[in-house]
C-alpha cells in the first residue's frame, strides 16, 4: 500500500524563504567564485567540494567524495555525491531526484584574483559565476528551503557535483551514469540561457582522428615517386566539410589538419582531427559512417586513410517524460510570473550522460546567466529568488507526478 501523499509546499512560502536568502546567496557566490577551480586545479575543486560538504551536511545529507583520477597525466579533483533521505520509501511511491552540477571552470589558477567577484547593477561577474557556481548554489539553496519548509515526501534527493565537466567528464561520467540509473528524474543545474530559457535538448559530440598514409619522396628531384598525404588530406577536408550541406541539424568540423615535416619532402603522413555534433543519435551514427566512406575514396593514388573515434558524448534528446517535466516547470513558473522557452543547444554537459542512461532530465535550471567561458561571464542576480523557488517547486512536484 502506498503512503498518503503530503500537501505540496506553498509557492508563496517557498518564494519568501528564497527571497530571505538573497543576501546570503550573493555572499556564498562571492566565496565560491573566489576559489580557482579549473578542471586541472584539483586543490581548488576540492576546496569547493569541502565548502559544499559543510552546507549539505548541515542540511541533513550524507556526503561522500569520490576520486576522479587523472586525465592526460594530470590530476583531477574529487567528485561529490550527497544523499538526503526522505520519508517516503521507493516501495511506497517515493521518488529519487538527482540534482547535477559541476564544480570546475575553464579558467586557470590566478583568474579569481585577476577578475574577482563583482556586481554591476544586477549583474554579478567573475570566473564561473554562471557556469556553474551560480547553478550549484541554486540547487543547494532549493534543497535548503525545502528542508526548512519540512518537505520530505520523497525517497531520496541526490546532489551530484562533478570536478571535470569542462573537459568532458573523463573521470566522472561513469559515476554520473550510475547515479542517473538510480533516479526517477534529474535536474541539471547549468544556468538558464541568456533569454531565460531552460534546456530541453543538447547535441551529442563525436571526435575522430583520421590518419592519412602516403609515401615520401624528394619533392624537387622525383616527386612522382611519392604519394602526397597532405594533398589527400586536403581533398578529404573538402569532402568532410561538404557533409554540412547534407545535414540539417548537425555540424562537421575538421578542426586540426597536420601534415609534413620539411618543404622538400612529399609528405607521407597527415592527420585530421574532426568533431561532429548532432541532435540525434541516429544522425551522429550516420555521419560517422559517412566519414569512413569518404576516407575510403581518396583521389590521390598511393594514399590510404584510417578513421578512429576518440570520444563520444551521446545527445540529450527530448522524450515524453522530459516534456512532462518542462510542463511542470512552466506551470510552477507561471505562479511566479515567469515565462521561458525550451532551448536546444549545441553545447554538451553532464545532462547528455544522464539522458543516455535513460533518465528523464531537464537542464538550465539555475539563475539566468551568459557569456560563459569568457571574461564577460555574468549572472543576473534579479533572477535568483524566482529561479531558486522554481527549482524547489519542481523538485516537490516531480515527487508527486506520474511521468509518461
Amino acid at each position: 500500500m502506498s503512503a498518503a501523499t503530503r500537501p505540496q509546499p506553498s509557492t508563496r512560502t517557498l518564494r519568501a524563504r528564497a527571497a530571505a536568502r538573497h543576501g546570503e546567496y550573493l555572499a556564498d557566490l562571492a566565496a565560491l567564485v573566489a576559489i580557482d577551480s579549473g578542471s586541472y586545479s584539483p586543490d581548488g575543486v576540492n576546496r569547493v567540494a569541502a565548502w559544499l560538504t559543510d552546507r549539505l551536511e548541515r542540511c541533513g545529507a550524507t556526503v561522500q567524495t569520490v576520486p576522479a583520477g587523472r586525465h592526460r597525466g594530470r590530476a583531477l579533483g574529487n567528485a561529490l555525491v550527497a544523499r538526503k533521505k526522505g520519508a517516503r520509501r521507493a516501495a511506497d511511491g517515493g521518488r529519487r531526484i538527482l540534482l547535477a552540477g559541476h564544480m570546475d571552470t575553464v579558467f586557470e589558477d590566478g583568474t579569481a584574483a585577476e577578475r574577482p567577484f563583482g556586481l554591476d547593477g544586477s549583474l554579478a561577474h567573475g570566473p564561473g559565476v554562471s557556469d556553474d557556481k551560480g547553478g550549484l548554489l541554486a540547487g543547494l539553496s532549493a534543497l535548503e528551503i525545502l528542508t526548512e519548509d519540512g518537505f520530505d515526501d520523497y525517497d531520496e534527493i541526490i546532489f551530484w557535483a562533478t570536478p571535470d565537466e569542462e573537459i568532458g567528464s573523463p573521470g566522472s561520467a561513469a559515476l554520473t551514469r550510475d547515479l542517473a540509473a538510480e533516479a526517477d528524474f534529474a535536474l541539471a543545474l547549468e544556468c538558464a540561457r541568456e533569454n531565460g530559457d531552460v534546456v530541453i535538448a543538447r547535441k551529442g559530440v563525436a571526435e575522430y582522428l583520421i590518419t592519412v598514409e602516403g609515401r615520401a619522396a624528394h619533392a624537387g628531384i622525383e616527386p612522382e615517386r611519392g604519394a602526397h598525404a597532405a594533398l589527400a588530406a586536403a581533398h578529404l577536408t573538402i569532402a568532410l566539410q561538404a557533409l554540412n550541406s547534407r545535414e540539417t541539424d548537425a555540424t562537421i568540423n575538421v578542426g586540426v589538419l597536420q601534415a609534413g615535416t620539411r618543404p622538400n619532402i612529399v609528405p607521407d603522413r597527415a592527420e585530421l582531427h574532426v568533431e561532429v555534433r548532432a541532435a540525434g543519435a541516429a544522425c551522429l551514427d550516420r555521419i560517422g559512417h559517412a566519414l569512413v566512406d569518404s576516407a575510403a575514396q581518396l583521389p590521390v593514388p598511393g594514399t590510404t586513410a584510417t578513421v578512429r573515434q576518440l570520444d563520444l558524448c551521446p545527445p540529450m534528446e527530448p522524450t515524453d517524460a522530459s516534456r512532462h517535466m518542462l510542463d511542470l516547470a512552466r506551470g510552477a513558473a507561471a505562479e511566479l510570473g515567469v515565462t521561458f522557452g525550451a532551448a536546444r543547444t549545441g553545447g554538451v554537459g553532464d545532462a547528455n550522460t544522464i539522458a543516455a542512461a535513460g533518465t528523464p532530465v531537464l537542464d538550465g535550471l539555475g539563475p539566468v546567466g551568459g557569456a560563459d567561458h569568457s571574461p564577460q561571464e555574468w549572472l543576473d542576480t534579479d533572477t535568483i529568488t524566482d529561479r531558486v523557488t522554481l527549482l524547489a517547486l519542481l523538485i516537490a512536484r516531480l515527487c508527486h507526478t506520474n511521468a509518461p
Side-chain angles (χ1 to χ4, degrees), residues 338-378:
V338 174
T339 59
F340 50 75
R344 297 169 182 260
T345 177
V348 303
D350 288 330
N352 292 66
T353 303
I354 294 168
T359 305
V361 57
L362 197 62
D363 200 355
L365 291 164
V368 175
D372 297 353
H373 299 190
S374 80
Q376 292 74 42
E377 183 176 1
W378 57 271

Side-chain angles (χ1 to χ4, degrees), residues 202-206 276-280 284 312-316 345-346 348 352:
R202 290 182 176 274
K203 286 183 178 179
V205 180
V276 178
R277 295 190 182 227
L284 208 60
L312 174 65
C313 178
M316 169 188 168
T345 177
V348 303
N352 292 66

Side-chain angles (χ1 to χ4, degrees), residues 91-102:
D92 294 325
R95 298 293 193 176
R96 294 190 180 101
I97 310 294
L98 176 66
L99 304 179
H102 64 91

Side-chain angles (χ1 to χ4, degrees), residues 21-300:
R21 288 172 165 267
H22 184 81
E24 181 181 0
Y25 182 106
L26 292 180
D28 291 341
L29 186 58
L32 290 175
V33 168
I35 301 172
D36 284 313
S37 59
S39 306
Y40 294 115
S41 302
D43 291 343
V45 169
N46 291 345
R47 285 177 61 197
V48 175
W51 189 96
L52 288 169
T53 296
D54 177 65
R55 287 286 286 272
L56 287 160
E57 287 180 342
R58 281 193 270 160
C59 194
T62 300
V63 184
Q64 179 185 9
T65 55
V66 184
R70 303 178 70 85
H71 181 243
R72 296 178 179 173
R74 303 176 70 179
L76 303 175
N78 294 328
L80 177 150
V81 57
R83 297 177 180 272
K84 182 168 172 56
K85 293 297 294 182
R88 181 191 290 262
R89 296 180 304 169
D92 294 325
R95 298 293 193 176
R96 294 190 180 101
I97 310 294
L98 176 66
L99 304 179
H102 64 91
M103 299 177 286
D104 63 320
T105 73
V106 299
F107 302 106
E108 298 296 327
D109 286 350
T111 308
E114 293 171 4
R115 292 193 291 107
F117 177 86
L119 286 170
D120 181 8
S122 67
L123 299 185
H125 295 278
V129 69
S130 169
D131 184 22
D132 184 31
K133 292 177 178 179
L136 275 175
L137 193 51
L140 174 65
S141 299
L143 184 57
E144 288 175 335
I145 65 174
L146 284 171
T147 301
E148 286 179 4
D149 202 59
F151 181 77
D152 61 358
D153 200 18
Y154 50 83
D155 180 76
E156 188 174 51
I157 294 176
I158 306 168
F159 189 100
W160 171 233
T162 58
D164 55 350
E165 188 269 352
E166 295 291 6
I167 53 172
S169 303
S172 64
L175 292 167
T176 299
R177 285 191 291 270
D178 290 344
L179 292 171
E182 296 182 31
D184 297 295
F185 302 100
L187 302 174
L189 302 174
E190 299 283 358
C191 282
R193 307 298 91 177
E194 292 189 11
N195 63 357
D197 287 355
V198 300
V199 176
I200 190 71
R202 290 182 176 274
K203 286 183 178 179
V205 180
E207 294 183 13
Y208 294 88
L209 172 63
I210 303 179
T211 304
V212 179
E213 300 287 351
R215 187 169 56 253
H218 194 296
I221 299 175
E222 47 188 10
E224 70 280 359
R225 292 193 174 187
H228 206 299
L231 179 59
H235 281 287
L236 185 55
T237 298
I238 293 170
L240 297 185
Q241 291 296 140
L243 294 174
N244 283 290
S245 64
R246 289 169 35 184
E247 300 291 344
T248 59
D249 204 7
T251 57
I252 302 95
N253 183 55
V254 180
V256 179
L257 177 58
Q258 298 172 320
T261 57
R262 295 173 64 93
N264 61 348
I265 300 176
V266 174
D268 65 349
R269 181 182 175 89
E271 290 186 346
L272 297 83
H273 294 257
V274 185
E275 182 195 78
V276 178
R277 295 190 182 227
C283 182
L284 208 60
D285 185 61
R286 182 171 65 250
I287 295 171
H289 287 295
L291 263 62
V292 173
D293 291 342
S294 296
Q297 302 175 51
L298 299 181
V300 179

